Amino acid sequence: MESKEIYDQVNRVYGSITKSGTGQYEKTVAKAFGYTEEELDGVPDGANLGLSCGNPIAIAGLREGETVIDLGSGAGFDVFAASKKVGPTGKAIGIDMNKNMIDKANAIKARTDASNVHFIESAVTSIALPDNTADCIISNCVINLVPETDKQLAFNEMFRLLKPGGRVAISDILARKEFTEEIKKNVALYVGCVAGASQVSQYDAYLKNAGFNDILIVDSKNDLNTYFTAAEAKPSCCGTDAVKEEEKTSSCCSAEARESCCKQEEKESCCGTNSSACACNNQTSSMADETKTLATRLGITDLNEWAGSFKVYAIKPAAN
C-alpha cells in the first residue's frame, strides 16, 4: 500500500469516529487496557473514543510543571488525563493529523478549565514545535498506523522534541509473528491497528536509530479481542422494537444522529455491511466489527496469536 492511501483511509475512518458514541463501549475498552474508574471519571465526556490499547500515563511518571506531548491525541483522552498530572504550571499538548479530532478536542476543552491543554493539527512525523520542547512524549495505539516508510520519521521526531534526559512512554500494538502479504496489504486491517504493527525487533531498531537509550519493550498481556467482545456486548441502540423510548432520544439514537449515520456514503464506516435498517450503532464498534469480519476471512480467529499490546519506554540521553 502507498503511504498516501494509508493516511487517507486512516483520516477517513478516524474522522468519522468523532461523530457518535454513547460511552459504554469506550469505557469498557479503556478499563480492559489499564485505566482505573477514577481516571475515567476525571476525563471530560466525549474525550474517550475507545481507541486505547494501553495506558501510557501509567508508565510515564509525569510530574508537576512538566511538558508532555501526546502523539495521535484524538479527542484528547490522554491529554486531559496528563494535564492533571503536570498541573497548572505544566503543559499537555495533543498532536493529531485529523481535523475532526482536533475540532472535537478543542470543543471539549472549551467546556473545561484546562488552561494548560493545547491541541495542534499535524502529522506525527513533522510537528511545528521547537527542539527540546517536552519532558515526556506519550502515544496510545497510534504509531502502528504510521506507514512503514514513515515510521522512523515518527521516532526521529520524538527524539527531536524531547529535552535531554526526556522519555517516551508508549502503548502500541506490536506483531507477535510475521504477517502474510495478504494481511499487510489489507487497508481495513491496517486502519484497525493490525496490519501496520511492527515486530518488537523493528520497534527496538527504530528507537535505537533515533538515538534513544535504556529501551524497554514489555508485553502487557492484554486481550486484543476485547475490541470485538466489547462491541458484541453493546446492544444496538436503535432499530429494534425493544428499545426504550428514552434511549431513542439519546445522542446515538436522535433523529439527527440516525440521519447522519445513514447517509449512503457513511454506511461502510457507520452502519455495517448488513444494516439495511441502518441501526445507528456506535461507530467505533462498527469499525471493530468490520475488522473482525476481515480478520476471520483471512484466517485470524484470535488477534492475540498475531499481535499484542505492548508498553514501550525509552530515554533520550542527557546532554554531556
mmCIF file with all atom_site columns, all heavy atoms in Angstrom, residues 44-71:
data_model
loop_
_atom_site.group_PDB
_atom_site.id
_atom_site.type_symbol
_atom_site.label_atom_id
_atom_site.label_alt_id
_atom_site.label_comp_id
_atom_site.label_asym_id
_atom_site.label_entity_id
_atom_site.label_seq_id
_atom_site.pdbx_PDB_ins_code
_atom_site.Cartn_x
_atom_site.Cartn_y
_atom_site.Cartn_z
_atom_site.occupancy
_atom_site.B_iso_or_equiv
_atom_site.pdbx_formal_charge
_atom_site.auth_seq_id
_atom_site.auth_comp_id
_atom_site.auth_asym_id
_atom_site.auth_atom_id
_atom_site.pdbx_PDB_model_num
ATOM 1   N N   . PRO A 1 44 ? -13.016 14.483 30.691 1.00 0.00 ? 44 PRO A N   1
ATOM 2   C CA  . PRO A 1 44 ? -14.265 15.083 30.205 1.00 0.00 ? 44 PRO A CA  1
ATOM 3   C C   . PRO A 1 44 ? -15.057 14.140 29.304 1.00 0.00 ? 44 PRO A C   1
ATOM 4   O O   . PRO A 1 44 ? -14.482 13.329 28.570 1.00 0.00 ? 44 PRO A O   1
ATOM 5   C CB  . PRO A 1 44 ? -13.784 16.308 29.418 1.00 0.00 ? 44 PRO A CB  1
ATOM 6   C CG  . PRO A 1 44 ? -12.415 16.605 29.917 1.00 0.00 ? 44 PRO A CG  1
ATOM 7   C CD  . PRO A 1 44 ? -11.830 15.285 30.323 1.00 0.00 ? 44 PRO A CD  1
ATOM 8   N N   . ASP A 1 45 ? -16.368 14.272 29.347 1.00 0.00 ? 45 ASP A N   1
ATOM 9   C CA  . ASP A 1 45 ? -17.245 13.471 28.491 1.00 0.00 ? 45 ASP A CA  1
ATOM 10  C C   . ASP A 1 45 ? -16.877 13.679 27.020 1.00 0.00 ? 45 ASP A C   1
ATOM 11  O O   . ASP A 1 45 ? -16.660 14.811 26.579 1.00 0.00 ? 45 ASP A O   1
ATOM 12  C CB  . ASP A 1 45 ? -18.703 13.859 28.704 1.00 0.00 ? 45 ASP A CB  1
ATOM 13  C CG  . ASP A 1 45 ? -19.247 13.400 30.046 1.00 0.00 ? 45 ASP A CG  1
ATOM 14  O OD1 . ASP A 1 45 ? -18.605 12.544 30.669 1.00 0.00 ? 45 ASP A OD1 1
ATOM 15  O OD2 . ASP A 1 45 ? -20.298 13.923 30.475 1.00 0.00 ? 45 ASP A OD2 1
ATOM 16  N N   . GLY A 1 46 ? -16.840 12.585 26.284 1.00 0.00 ? 46 GLY A N   1
ATOM 17  C CA  . GLY A 1 46 ? -16.571 12.648 24.863 1.00 0.00 ? 46 GLY A CA  1
ATOM 18  C C   . GLY A 1 46 ? -15.121 12.513 24.468 1.00 0.00 ? 46 GLY A C   1
ATOM 19  O O   . GLY A 1 46 ? -14.807 12.301 23.293 1.00 0.00 ? 46 GLY A O   1
ATOM 20  N N   . ALA A 1 47 ? -14.207 12.617 25.432 1.00 0.00 ? 47 ALA A N   1
ATOM 21  C CA  . ALA A 1 47 ? -12.775 12.544 25.103 1.00 0.00 ? 47 ALA A CA  1
ATOM 22  C C   . ALA A 1 47 ? -12.317 11.111 24.856 1.00 0.00 ? 47 ALA A C   1
ATOM 23  O O   . ALA A 1 47 ? -11.389 10.871 24.085 1.00 0.00 ? 47 ALA A O   1
ATOM 24  C CB  . ALA A 1 47 ? -11.942 13.172 26.226 1.00 0.00 ? 47 ALA A CB  1
ATOM 25  N N   . ASN A 1 48 ? -12.954 10.155 25.521 1.00 0.00 ? 48 ASN A N   1
ATOM 26  C CA  . ASN A 1 48 ? -12.597 8.746  25.361 1.00 0.00 ? 48 ASN A CA  1
ATOM 27  C C   . ASN A 1 48 ? -13.371 8.161  24.182 1.00 0.00 ? 48 ASN A C   1
ATOM 28  O O   . ASN A 1 48 ? -14.593 8.027  24.232 1.00 0.00 ? 48 ASN A O   1
ATOM 29  C CB  . ASN A 1 48 ? -12.919 7.979  26.643 1.00 0.00 ? 48 ASN A CB  1
ATOM 30  C CG  . ASN A 1 48 ? -12.659 6.491  26.525 1.00 0.00 ? 48 ASN A CG  1
ATOM 31  O OD1 . ASN A 1 48 ? -11.977 6.027  25.600 1.00 0.00 ? 48 ASN A OD1 1
ATOM 32  N ND2 . ASN A 1 48 ? -13.188 5.728  27.466 1.00 0.00 ? 48 ASN A ND2 1
ATOM 33  N N   . LEU A 1 49 ? -12.646 7.793  23.127 1.00 0.00 ? 49 LEU A N   1
ATOM 34  C CA  . LEU A 1 49 ? -13.280 7.242  21.934 1.00 0.00 ? 49 LEU A CA  1
ATOM 35  C C   . LEU A 1 49 ? -13.119 5.732  21.812 1.00 0.00 ? 49 LEU A C   1
ATOM 36  O O   . LEU A 1 49 ? -13.438 5.154  20.781 1.00 0.00 ? 49 LEU A O   1
ATOM 37  C CB  . LEU A 1 49 ? -12.698 7.921  20.681 1.00 0.00 ? 49 LEU A CB  1
ATOM 38  C CG  . LEU A 1 49 ? -12.932 9.425  20.579 1.00 0.00 ? 49 LEU A CG  1
ATOM 39  C CD1 . LEU A 1 49 ? -12.237 9.982  19.335 1.00 0.00 ? 49 LEU A CD1 1
ATOM 40  C CD2 . LEU A 1 49 ? -14.414 9.752  20.549 1.00 0.00 ? 49 LEU A CD2 1
ATOM 41  N N   . GLY A 1 50 ? -12.592 5.082  22.852 1.00 0.00 ? 50 GLY A N   1
ATOM 42  C CA  . GLY A 1 50 ? -12.463 3.627  22.822 1.00 0.00 ? 50 GLY A CA  1
ATOM 43  C C   . GLY A 1 50 ? -11.372 3.141  21.894 1.00 0.00 ? 50 GLY A C   1
ATOM 44  O O   . GLY A 1 50 ? -11.465 2.051  21.346 1.00 0.00 ? 50 GLY A O   1
ATOM 45  N N   . LEU A 1 51 ? -10.310 3.932  21.717 1.00 0.00 ? 51 LEU A N   1
ATOM 46  C CA  . LEU A 1 51 ? -9.243  3.599  20.775 1.00 0.00 ? 51 LEU A CA  1
ATOM 47  C C   . LEU A 1 51 ? -7.936  3.230  21.459 1.00 0.00 ? 51 LEU A C   1
ATOM 48  O O   . LEU A 1 51 ? -6.900  3.098  20.805 1.00 0.00 ? 51 LEU A O   1
ATOM 49  C CB  . LEU A 1 51 ? -9.002  4.788  19.828 1.00 0.00 ? 51 LEU A CB  1
ATOM 50  C CG  . LEU A 1 51 ? -10.224 5.229  19.012 1.00 0.00 ? 51 LEU A CG  1
ATOM 51  C CD1 . LEU A 1 51 ? -9.899  6.488  18.216 1.00 0.00 ? 51 LEU A CD1 1
ATOM 52  C CD2 . LEU A 1 51 ? -10.679 4.115  18.079 1.00 0.00 ? 51 LEU A CD2 1
ATOM 53  N N   . SER A 1 52 ? -7.950  3.060  22.762 1.00 0.00 ? 52 SER A N   1
ATOM 54  C CA  . SER A 1 52 ? -6.727  2.748  23.505 1.00 0.00 ? 52 SER A CA  1
ATOM 55  C C   . SER A 1 52 ? -6.306  1.299  23.324 1.00 0.00 ? 52 SER A C   1
ATOM 56  O O   . SER A 1 52 ? -7.129  0.426  23.054 1.00 0.00 ? 52 SER A O   1
ATOM 57  C CB  . SER A 1 52 ? -6.950  3.007  25.002 1.00 0.00 ? 52 SER A CB  1
ATOM 58  O OG  . SER A 1 52 ? -7.343  4.334  25.250 1.00 0.00 ? 52 SER A OG  1
ATOM 59  N N   . CYS A 1 53 ? -5.003  1.044  23.488 1.00 0.00 ? 53 CYS A N   1
ATOM 60  C CA  . CYS A 1 53 ? -4.519  -0.336 23.599 1.00 0.00 ? 53 CYS A CA  1
ATOM 61  C C   . CYS A 1 53 ? -3.625  -0.467 24.829 1.00 0.00 ? 53 CYS A C   1
ATOM 62  O O   . CYS A 1 53 ? -2.882  -1.431 24.976 1.00 0.00 ? 53 CYS A O   1
ATOM 63  C CB  . CYS A 1 53 ? -3.779  -0.775 22.336 1.00 0.00 ? 53 CYS A CB  1
ATOM 64  S SG  . CYS A 1 53 ? -2.267  0.137  21.981 1.00 0.00 ? 53 CYS A SG  1
ATOM 65  N N   . GLY A 1 54 ? -3.697  0.518  25.704 1.00 0.00 ? 54 GLY A N   1
ATOM 66  C CA  . GLY A 1 54 ? -2.919  0.524  26.929 1.00 0.00 ? 54 GLY A CA  1
ATOM 67  C C   . GLY A 1 54 ? -3.112  1.862  27.618 1.00 0.00 ? 54 GLY A C   1
ATOM 68  O O   . GLY A 1 54 ? -3.933  2.680  27.193 1.00 0.00 ? 54 GLY A O   1
ATOM 69  N N   . ASN A 1 55 ? -2.354  2.077  28.685 1.00 0.00 ? 55 ASN A N   1
ATOM 70  C CA  . ASN A 1 55 ? -2.428  3.326  29.446 1.00 0.00 ? 55 ASN A CA  1
ATOM 71  C C   . ASN A 1 55 ? -1.018  3.899  29.577 1.00 0.00 ? 55 ASN A C   1
ATOM 72  O O   . ASN A 1 55 ? -0.303  3.606  30.539 1.00 0.00 ? 55 ASN A O   1
ATOM 73  C CB  . ASN A 1 55 ? -3.039  3.070  30.822 1.00 0.00 ? 55 ASN A CB  1
ATOM 74  C CG  . ASN A 1 55 ? -3.168  4.347  31.651 1.00 0.00 ? 55 ASN A CG  1
ATOM 75  O OD1 . ASN A 1 55 ? -2.748  5.416  31.222 1.00 0.00 ? 55 ASN A OD1 1
ATOM 76  N ND2 . ASN A 1 55 ? -3.739  4.225  32.843 1.00 0.00 ? 55 ASN A ND2 1
ATOM 77  N N   . PRO A 1 56 ? -0.562  4.702  28.615 1.00 0.00 ? 56 PRO A N   1
ATOM 78  C CA  . PRO A 1 56 ? 0.809   5.213  28.664 1.00 0.00 ? 56 PRO A CA  1
ATOM 79  C C   . PRO A 1 56 ? 1.095   6.112  29.856 1.00 0.00 ? 56 PRO A C   1
ATOM 80  O O   . PRO A 1 56 ? 2.249   6.193  30.304 1.00 0.00 ? 56 PRO A O   1
ATOM 81  C CB  . PRO A 1 56 ? 0.943   5.982  27.343 1.00 0.00 ? 56 PRO A CB  1
ATOM 82  C CG  . PRO A 1 56 ? -0.460  6.339  26.961 1.00 0.00 ? 56 PRO A CG  1
ATOM 83  C CD  . PRO A 1 56 ? -1.298  5.191  27.444 1.00 0.00 ? 56 PRO A CD  1
ATOM 84  N N   . ILE A 1 57 ? 0.072   6.764  30.369 1.00 0.00 ? 57 ILE A N   1
ATOM 85  C CA  . ILE A 1 57 ? 0.276   7.650  31.518 1.00 0.00 ? 57 ILE A CA  1
ATOM 86  C C   . ILE A 1 57 ? 0.714   6.854  32.743 1.00 0.00 ? 57 ILE A C   1
ATOM 87  O O   . ILE A 1 57 ? 1.458   7.350  33.591 1.00 0.00 ? 57 ILE A O   1
ATOM 88  C CB  . ILE A 1 57 ? -1.009  8.450  31.802 1.00 0.00 ? 57 ILE A CB  1
ATOM 89  C CG1 . ILE A 1 57 ? -1.277  9.397  30.630 1.00 0.00 ? 57 ILE A CG1 1
ATOM 90  C CG2 . ILE A 1 57 ? -0.903  9.243  33.097 1.00 0.00 ? 57 ILE A CG2 1
ATOM 91  C CD1 . ILE A 1 57 ? -2.573  10.149 30.724 1.00 0.00 ? 57 ILE A CD1 1
ATOM 92  N N   . ALA A 1 58 ? 0.297   5.593  32.817 1.00 0.00 ? 58 ALA A N   1
ATOM 93  C CA  . ALA A 1 58 ? 0.660   4.747  33.967 1.00 0.00 ? 58 ALA A CA  1
ATOM 94  C C   . ALA A 1 58 ? 2.164   4.495  34.038 1.00 0.00 ? 58 ALA A C   1
ATOM 95  O O   . ALA A 1 58 ? 2.694   4.190  35.110 1.00 0.00 ? 58 ALA A O   1
ATOM 96  C CB  . ALA A 1 58 ? -0.090  3.425  33.892 1.00 0.00 ? 58 ALA A CB  1
ATOM 97  N N   . ILE A 1 59 ? 2.863   4.592  32.904 1.00 0.00 ? 59 ILE A N   1
ATOM 98  C CA  . ILE A 1 59 ? 4.308   4.346  32.908 1.00 0.00 ? 59 ILE A CA  1
ATOM 99  C C   . ILE A 1 59 ? 5.112   5.614  32.624 1.00 0.00 ? 59 ILE A C   1
ATOM 100 O O   . ILE A 1 59 ? 6.345   5.580  32.610 1.00 0.00 ? 59 ILE A O   1
ATOM 101 C CB  . ILE A 1 59 ? 4.698   3.268  31.876 1.00 0.00 ? 59 ILE A CB  1
ATOM 102 C CG1 . ILE A 1 59 ? 4.327   3.702  30.456 1.00 0.00 ? 59 ILE A CG1 1
ATOM 103 C CG2 . ILE A 1 59 ? 4.061   1.936  32.221 1.00 0.00 ? 59 ILE A CG2 1
ATOM 104 C CD1 . ILE A 1 59 ? 4.843   2.771  29.369 1.00 0.00 ? 59 ILE A CD1 1
ATOM 105 N N   . ALA A 1 60 ? 4.430   6.745  32.439 1.00 0.00 ? 60 ALA A N   1
ATOM 106 C CA  . ALA A 1 60 ? 5.113   7.981  32.052 1.00 0.00 ? 60 ALA A CA  1
ATOM 107 C C   . ALA A 1 60 ? 5.802   8.675  33.220 1.00 0.00 ? 60 ALA A C   1
ATOM 108 O O   . ALA A 1 60 ? 6.769   9.415  33.019 1.00 0.00 ? 60 ALA A O   1
ATOM 109 C CB  . ALA A 1 60 ? 4.128   8.942  31.387 1.00 0.00 ? 60 ALA A CB  1
ATOM 110 N N   . GLY A 1 61 ? 5.296   8.478  34.439 1.00 0.00 ? 61 GLY A N   1
ATOM 111 C CA  . GLY A 1 61 ? 5.893   9.134  35.608 1.00 0.00 ? 61 GLY A CA  1
ATOM 112 C C   . GLY A 1 61 ? 5.846   10.647 35.523 1.00 0.00 ? 61 GLY A C   1
ATOM 113 O O   . GLY A 1 61 ? 6.819   11.336 35.861 1.00 0.00 ? 61 GLY A O   1
ATOM 114 N N   . LEU A 1 62 ? 4.707   11.196 35.096 1.00 0.00 ? 62 LEU A N   1
ATOM 115 C CA  . LEU A 1 62 ? 4.581   12.643 34.913 1.00 0.00 ? 62 LEU A CA  1
ATOM 116 C C   . LEU A 1 62 ? 4.634   13.370 36.248 1.00 0.00 ? 62 LEU A C   1
ATOM 117 O O   . LEU A 1 62 ? 4.100   12.907 37.256 1.00 0.00 ? 62 LEU A O   1
ATOM 118 C CB  . LEU A 1 62 ? 3.278   12.969 34.194 1.00 0.00 ? 62 LEU A CB  1
ATOM 119 C CG  . LEU A 1 62 ? 3.147   12.417 32.765 1.00 0.00 ? 62 LEU A CG  1
ATOM 120 C CD1 . LEU A 1 62 ? 1.763   12.709 32.209 1.00 0.00 ? 62 LEU A CD1 1
ATOM 121 C CD2 . LEU A 1 62 ? 4.227   12.985 31.861 1.00 0.00 ? 62 LEU A CD2 1
ATOM 122 N N   . ARG A 1 63 ? 5.269   14.553 36.208 1.00 0.00 ? 63 ARG A N   1
ATOM 123 C CA  . ARG A 1 63 ? 5.429   15.353 37.417 1.00 0.00 ? 63 ARG A CA  1
ATOM 124 C C   . ARG A 1 63 ? 4.929   16.782 37.194 1.00 0.00 ? 63 ARG A C   1
ATOM 125 O O   . ARG A 1 63 ? 4.845   17.261 36.069 1.00 0.00 ? 63 ARG A O   1
ATOM 126 C CB  . ARG A 1 63 ? 6.902   15.383 37.835 1.00 0.00 ? 63 ARG A CB  1
ATOM 127 C CG  . ARG A 1 63 ? 7.464   14.020 38.205 1.00 0.00 ? 63 ARG A CG  1
ATOM 128 C CD  . ARG A 1 63 ? 8.920   14.114 38.641 1.00 0.00 ? 63 ARG A CD  1
ATOM 129 N NE  . ARG A 1 63 ? 9.793   14.371 37.515 1.00 0.00 ? 63 ARG A NE  1
ATOM 130 C CZ  . ARG A 1 63 ? 10.347  13.431 36.758 1.00 0.00 ? 63 ARG A CZ  1
ATOM 131 N NH1 . ARG A 1 63 ? 10.084  12.143 37.005 1.00 0.00 ? 63 ARG A NH1 1
ATOM 132 N NH2 . ARG A 1 63 ? 11.144  13.747 35.760 1.00 0.00 ? 63 ARG A NH2 1
ATOM 133 N N   . GLU A 1 64 ? 4.610   17.457 38.297 1.00 0.00 ? 64 GLU A N   1
ATOM 134 C CA  . GLU A 1 64 ? 4.160   18.858 38.249 1.00 0.00 ? 64 GLU A CA  1
ATOM 135 C C   . GLU A 1 64 ? 5.160   19.708 37.468 1.00 0.00 ? 64 GLU A C   1
ATOM 136 O O   . GLU A 1 64 ? 6.369   19.582 37.646 1.00 0.00 ? 64 GLU A O   1
ATOM 137 C CB  . GLU A 1 64 ? 4.029   19.414 39.671 1.00 0.00 ? 64 GLU A CB  1
ATOM 138 C CG  . GLU A 1 64 ? 2.839   18.895 40.444 1.00 0.00 ? 64 GLU A CG  1
ATOM 139 C CD  . GLU A 1 64 ? 1.598   19.748 40.230 1.00 0.00 ? 64 GLU A CD  1
ATOM 140 O OE1 . GLU A 1 64 ? 1.728   20.876 39.711 1.00 0.00 ? 64 GLU A OE1 1
ATOM 141 O OE2 . GLU A 1 64 ? 0.494   19.279 40.576 1.00 0.00 ? 64 GLU A OE2 1
ATOM 142 N N   . GLY A 1 65 ? 4.634   20.556 36.586 1.00 0.00 ? 65 GLY A N   1
ATOM 143 C CA  . GLY A 1 65 ? 5.460   21.503 35.870 1.00 0.00 ? 65 GLY A CA  1
ATOM 144 C C   . GLY A 1 65 ? 6.070   20.981 34.579 1.00 0.00 ? 65 GLY A C   1
ATOM 145 O O   . GLY A 1 65 ? 6.698   21.746 33.844 1.00 0.00 ? 65 GLY A O   1
ATOM 146 N N   . GLU A 1 66 ? 5.880   19.704 34.275 1.00 0.00 ? 66 GLU A N   1
ATOM 147 C CA  . GLU A 1 66 ? 6.465   19.139 33.054 1.00 0.00 ? 66 GLU A CA  1
ATOM 148 C C   . GLU A 1 66 ? 5.607   19.451 31.831 1.00 0.00 ? 66 GLU A C   1
ATOM 149 O O   . GLU A 1 66 ? 4.419   19.746 31.939 1.00 0.00 ? 66 GLU A O   1
ATOM 150 C CB  . GLU A 1 66 ? 6.627   17.620 33.189 1.00 0.00 ? 66 GLU A CB  1
ATOM 151 C CG  . GLU A 1 66 ? 7.722   17.200 34.149 1.00 0.00 ? 66 GLU A CG  1
ATOM 152 C CD  . GLU A 1 66 ? 8.062   15.729 34.043 1.00 0.00 ? 66 GLU A CD  1
ATOM 153 O OE1 . GLU A 1 66 ? 7.128   14.912 33.896 1.00 0.00 ? 66 GLU A OE1 1
ATOM 154 O OE2 . GLU A 1 66 ? 9.261   15.398 34.119 1.00 0.00 ? 66 GLU A OE2 1
ATOM 155 N N   . THR A 1 67 ? 6.241   19.354 30.674 1.00 0.00 ? 67 THR A N   1
ATOM 156 C CA  . THR A 1 67 ? 5.535   19.454 29.395 1.00 0.00 ? 67 THR A CA  1
ATOM 157 C C   . THR A 1 67 ? 5.460   18.061 28.780 1.00 0.00 ? 67 THR A C   1
ATOM 158 O O   . THR A 1 67 ? 6.480   17.397 28.614 1.00 0.00 ? 67 THR A O   1
ATOM 159 C CB  . THR A 1 67 ? 6.264   20.406 28.425 1.00 0.00 ? 67 THR A CB  1
ATOM 160 O OG1 . THR A 1 67 ? 6.234   21.739 28.958 1.00 0.00 ? 67 THR A OG1 1
ATOM 161 C CG2 . THR A 1 67 ? 5.586   20.399 27.060 1.00 0.00 ? 67 THR A CG2 1
ATOM 162 N N   . VAL A 1 68 ? 4.254   17.643 28.467 1.00 0.00 ? 68 VAL A N   1
ATOM 163 C CA  . VAL A 1 68 ? 4.046   16.319 27.878 1.00 0.00 ? 68 VAL A CA  1
ATOM 164 C C   . VAL A 1 68 ? 3.350   16.488 26.532 1.00 0.00 ? 68 VAL A C   1
ATOM 165 O O   . VAL A 1 68 ? 2.451   17.325 26.384 1.00 0.00 ? 68 VAL A O   1
ATOM 166 C CB  . VAL A 1 68 ? 3.218   15.406 28.814 1.00 0.00 ? 68 VAL A CB  1
ATOM 167 C CG1 . VAL A 1 68 ? 1.884   16.031 29.175 1.00 0.00 ? 68 VAL A CG1 1
ATOM 168 C CG2 . VAL A 1 68 ? 3.008   14.036 28.182 1.00 0.00 ? 68 VAL A CG2 1
ATOM 169 N N   . ILE A 1 69 ? 3.802   15.734 25.539 1.00 0.00 ? 69 ILE A N   1
ATOM 170 C CA  . ILE A 1 69 ? 3.197   15.740 24.204 1.00 0.00 ? 69 ILE A CA  1
ATOM 171 C C   . ILE A 1 69 ? 2.600   14.372 23.938 1.00 0.00 ? 69 ILE A C   1
ATOM 172 O O   . ILE A 1 69 ? 3.256   13.351 24.134 1.00 0.00 ? 69 ILE A O   1
ATOM 173 C CB  . ILE A 1 69 ? 4.242   16.078 23.119 1.00 0.00 ? 69 ILE A CB  1
ATOM 174 C CG1 . ILE A 1 69 ? 4.789   17.498 23.322 1.00 0.00 ? 69 ILE A CG1 1
ATOM 175 C CG2 . ILE A 1 69 ? 3.634   15.939 21.724 1.00 0.00 ? 69 ILE A CG2 1
ATOM 176 C CD1 . ILE A 1 69 ? 5.920   17.848 22.370 1.00 0.00 ? 69 ILE A CD1 1
ATOM 177 N N   . ASP A 1 70 ? 1.352   14.368 23.469 1.00 0.00 ? 70 ASP A N   1
ATOM 178 C CA  . ASP A 1 70 ? 0.672   13.119 23.107 1.00 0.00 ? 70 ASP A CA  1
ATOM 179 C C   . ASP A 1 70 ? 0.572   13.042 21.593 1.00 0.00 ? 70 ASP A C   1
ATOM 180 O O   . ASP A 1 70 ? -0.081  13.875 20.957 1.00 0.00 ? 70 ASP A O   1
ATOM 181 C CB  . ASP A 1 70 ? -0.721  13.085 23.740 1.00 0.00 ? 70 ASP A CB  1
ATOM 182 C CG  . ASP A 1 70 ? -1.497  11.817 23.405 1.00 0.00 ? 70 ASP A CG  1
ATOM 183 O OD1 . ASP A 1 70 ? -0.859  10.834 22.960 1.00 0.00 ? 70 ASP A OD1 1
ATOM 184 O OD2 . ASP A 1 70 ? -2.723  11.810 23.582 1.00 0.00 ? 70 ASP A OD2 1
ATOM 185 N N   . LEU A 1 71 ? 1.218   12.037 20.999 1.00 0.00 ? 71 LEU A N   1
ATOM 186 C CA  . LEU A 1 71 ? 1.186   11.855 19.554 1.00 0.00 ? 71 LEU A CA  1
ATOM 187 C C   . LEU A 1 71 ? -0.025  11.015 19.148 1.00 0.00 ? 71 LEU A C   1
ATOM 188 O O   . LEU A 1 71 ? -0.167  9.875  19.587 1.00 0.00 ? 71 LEU A O   1
ATOM 189 C CB  . LEU A 1 71 ? 2.470   11.181 19.073 1.00 0.00 ? 71 LEU A CB  1
ATOM 190 C CG  . LEU A 1 71 ? 3.776   11.931 19.364 1.00 0.00 ? 71 LEU A CG  1
ATOM 191 C CD1 . LEU A 1 71 ? 4.951   11.214 18.724 1.00 0.00 ? 71 LEU A CD1 1
ATOM 192 C CD2 . LEU A 1 71 ? 3.714   13.370 18.889 1.00 0.00 ? 71 LEU A CD2 1
#
